């Protein structure tokens, strides 16, 4: 799987605990595969968003080839599929690579508000 700084890997075995059990932050799951060129294309975007939005969203990746149960459970047919989970429920799904600006705009409605410092 493509290593992305700030993005953890999850598996069929720990998906429920690490994604669905996360109550404090939304979790963006990238369903990915080593053989997927758009997945390589979006990797630096996900790394940048993970760093910039730390504390507002967690980003994880799941290898579809090694984790068929979770992939089938959510009906993932194309890579990369980006799915946002909040309080254990999928709340948004996007398919395909995109620019950082586009991804951030698409995530606006699922991210918690920015805490302002005085």
């Amino acid at each position: 799987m493509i290593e992305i700084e700030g993005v953890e890997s999850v598996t069929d075995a720990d998906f429920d605990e690490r994604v669905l059990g996360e109550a404090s932050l939304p979790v963006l799951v990238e369903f990915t595969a080593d053989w997927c060129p758009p997945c390589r294309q979006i990797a630096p975007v996900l790394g940048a968003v993970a760093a910039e939005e730390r504390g507002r969203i967690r980003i994880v990746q799941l290898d579809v080839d090694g984790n068929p149960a979770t992939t089938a459970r959510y009906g993932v047919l194309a890579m990369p599929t980006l799915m946002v989970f909040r309080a254990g429920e999928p709340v948004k799904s996007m398919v395909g690579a995109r620019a950082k600006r586009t991804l951030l705009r698409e995530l606006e409605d699922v991210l918690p508000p920015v805490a302002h410092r005085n």
Side-chain angles (χ1 to χ4, degrees):
M1 190 158 34
I2 302 161
E3 296 273 331
I4 307 170
E5 187 173 339
V7 177
E8 302 171 35
S9 295
V10 294
T11 65
D12 282 346
D14 63 9
F15 186 88
D16 287 1
E17 176 188 343
R18 295 181 58 209
V19 175
L20 304 183
E22 172 64 71
S24 61
L25 292 175
V27 181
L28 183 142
V29 179
E30 178 202 17
F31 291 85
T32 187
D34 284 336
W35 47 262
C36 163
C39 298
R40 287 192 291 277
Q41 183 182 2
I42 199 170
V45 170
L46 294 176
V49 171
E52 287 177 25
E53 299 298 334
R54 182 173 290 125
R56 292 182 72 207
I57 192 166
R58 273 185 53 231
I59 301 177
V60 300
Q61 57 183 350
L62 181 124
D63 177 59
V64 297
D65 293 326
N67 299 282
T70 304
T71 303
R73 179 166 150 195
Y74 292 102
V76 173
L77 300 173
M79 268 56 70
T81 290
L82 306 173
M83 197 171 288
V84 180
F85 291 81
R86 193 168 40 202
E89 296 294 325
V91 295
K92 181 167 228 139
S93 183
M94 303 159 276
V95 176
R98 59 227 326 112
K100 183 175 85 169
R101 179 182 300 162
T102 303
L103 180 58
L104 288 170
R105 189 171 53 248
E106 290 173 328
L107 291 173
E108 282 176 357
D109 62 334
V110 296
L111 290 176
V114 177
H116 295 286
R117 295 183 186 152
N118 293 339

